[in-house]
Amino acid sequence: LVRKYQKDSKYSAYVQVVERCLQSFDYVSEWADVTAFLTKLERSFKTYSRFAVVPHKETVAKRLAQCLNPALPTGVHQKALGIYEQIFKQIGQEQLIADLSLYAYGLFPFMRNASLSTKSQLLEIFSRVFVPLGTSLRPCMKSFTAGVLPGLEEASAEMSGHVMDLLDRLQETVDSAFFFQTLFLVMVTNAEQRESALKYLAQRLPVFTQKEDVEQICGDQGSLMVRALAATLTDSKTLVLRAALDVVMTRIPLRTCVFETRDVVLLVKCAAEVVLKKDMSLNRRFYTWVLGPGESDAEQSAHFAQYVQAPLTEALLGSFAATSSLDQQHTVLRVLIGLIDKPAIAQPILDAIF
């Protein structure tokens, strides 16, 4: 496209106008100067909107990302987002795909620091511009998903509903299994996003009663889902632990055993360690999960003996034997002490160990 326009004198004028505008950024000293800079930049693109390219696009993308600094006022953010919209409209979908990493740098991390009104504008951009890119989003899917999830932290039901709808559309667009695999990777690597991701999973995961359920959600990457849940069960925040136990308790009944043995051992091990928090709400969720839905002591003991005793014993003994670290061995012993409150759990484990 650049070669096509090079002989056009108006294109040369367009390049010069954008260059002068970008140079003016070097003299910005307060937020009012930023607004003036953005106004000039917006005028440049609108004046020469027939050119489907952005001169000095790397610098333009960098300056727009700087204008989304959380220290700047909401009005500046809205102005910058308006220019992003103008650029995307001007360059078209094909060029946006080619330049995706440039514009993602500023837009994707912005949701967490945006005001409520700006979040609505950002979600509109994500929904109208990025989701339709479909499988072309795959190279930056992880960062895009992590950029959308903070919208679920809002108390506003309307905002949360918009984010849920956007994630649902994204799931349909890029392939369900790939979407959930990406979401689980975000949970493993990004502790800040775990609570929001769990909110989504709590409403969208099925109850796993057969292996086909796992394949439908994450293909052949069932272990990735378990690692994601295990990571959340080791989180330092109580709210995250509660949400993780709620998902595990309601979606992964142990009596169905749809995961590999090693995955069940890992999940049970991480869940058992919540007793170290000495939080009754966490303990209640853990005990409900491992003792099953039975109401009588006999039913609960039978459920534990059949489905949980072997993986939990293997998890605790394995952790104790696999390390020479006194701290790790001490942790295993503290878990056993914490489980003594429930004889139906502690007694069979102690009998198996000693």
Side-chain angles (χ1 to χ4, degrees), residues 129-159:
V129 178
F130 286 91
V131 173
L133 297 181
T135 53
S136 298
L137 264 179
R138 285 192 170 204
C140 62
M141 184 67 180
K142 185 180 174 185
S143 58
F144 183 64
T145 304
V148 174
L149 283 172
L152 290 176
E153 297 174 6
E154 286 294 334
S156 165
E158 183 180 1
M159 173 63 68

Side-chain angles (χ1 to χ4, degrees), residues 25-36:
F25 191 86
D26 295 334
Y27 303 99
V28 164
S29 59
E30 56 185 27
W31 70 263
D33 297 332
V34 179
T35 303

Side-chain angles (χ1 to χ4, degrees), residues 84-346:
Y84 274 111
E85 291 183 87
Q86 171 66 28
I87 288 174
F88 298 151
K89 179 181 177 182
Q90 188 167 326
I91 66 176
Q93 191 176 88
E94 186 177 339
Q95 189 60 43
L96 174 58
I97 292 171
D99 296 338
L100 197 53
S101 59
L102 284 179
Y103 300 110
Y105 174 77
L107 279 177
F108 290 0
F110 180 57
M111 179 73 77
R112 180 169 295 280
N113 299 313
S115 65
L116 185 58
S117 60
T118 316
K119 280 180 180 176
S120 298
Q121 186 180 359
L122 182 61
L123 278 176
E124 180 64 23
I125 294 174
F126 284 165
S127 179
R128 187 161 39 80
V129 178
F130 286 91
V131 173
L133 297 181
T135 53
S136 298
L137 264 179
R138 285 192 170 204
C140 62
M141 184 67 180
K142 185 180 174 185
S143 58
F144 183 64
T145 304
V148 174
L149 283 172
L152 290 176
E153 297 174 6
E154 286 294 334
S156 165
E158 183 180 1
M159 173 63 68
S160 296
H162 287 329
V163 176
M164 291 293 289
D165 290 343
L166 191 152
L167 289 171
D168 288 342
R169 285 180 55 211
L170 187 62
Q171 175 190 340
E172 295 169 2
T173 301
V174 301
D175 176 66
S176 181
F178 184 82
F179 168 81
F180 278 106
Q181 288 170 18
T182 302
L183 187 62
F184 295 139
L185 279 173
V186 171
M187 293 169 66
V188 170
T189 59
N190 194 331
E192 289 186 344
Q193 308 294 357
R194 286 172 183 165
E195 187 175 355
S196 298
L198 287 166
K199 285 181 182 179
Y200 184 79
L201 294 178
Q203 298 185 52
R204 295 297 186 264
L205 281 185
V207 178
F208 294 104
T209 58
Q210 51 190 356
K211 291 189 180 296
E212 288 76 10
D213 296 331
V214 179
E215 292 172 359
Q216 183 179 356
I217 290 298
C218 49
D220 59 355
Q221 297 294 319
S223 293
L224 177 59
M225 177 166 62
V226 171
R227 284 196 290 120
L229 292 171
T232 62
L233 288 167
T234 60
D235 199 274
S236 59
K237 297 178 182 177
T238 300
L239 287 176
V240 173
L241 293 176
R242 287 177 188 167
L245 285 171
D246 282 338
V247 169
V248 168
M249 180 177 64
T250 58
R251 299 296 189 270
I252 308 179
L254 287 163
R255 65 182 180 277
T256 58
C257 196
V258 296
F259 295 102
E260 299 291 333
T261 300
R262 67 178 184 275
D263 293 332
V264 177
V265 169
L266 174 63
L267 199 57
V268 169
K269 170 185 174 294
C270 293
E273 290 180 358
V274 302
V275 301
L276 301 177
K277 298 288 185 180
K278 298 181 180 179
D279 184 304
M280 290 302 297
S281 65
L282 298 178
N283 291 351
R284 184 175 66 253
R285 287 169 169 82
F286 172 68
Y287 294 146
T288 299
W289 183 49
V290 298
L291 294 177
E295 296 184 3
S296 68
D297 291 345
E299 289 176 316
Q300 292 180 351
S301 296
H303 179 278
F304 179 80
Q306 185 172 356
Y307 303 114
V308 189
Q309 181 178 335
L312 182 55
T313 302
E314 182 181 341
L316 295 175
L317 278 176
S319 295
F320 195 86
T323 179
S324 58
S325 167
L326 292 178
D327 287 341
Q328 183 60 39
Q329 292 177 347
H330 186 223
T331 297
V332 175
L333 294 176
R334 287 171 58 214
V335 170
L336 284 170
I337 293 170
L339 293 173
I340 286 177
D341 290 341
K342 281 287 182 181
I345 298 175

Side-chain angles (χ1 to χ4, degrees), residues 10 14 17 40-51 86 90:
K10 289 190 176 181
Y14 174 37
V17 167
K40 291 177 186 176
L41 192 62
E42 183 180 33
R43 190 183 306 123
S44 302
F45 292 131
K46 286 184 175 179
T47 301
Y48 297 95
S49 59
R50 72 185 182 89
F51 296 112
Q86 171 66 28
Q90 188 167 326

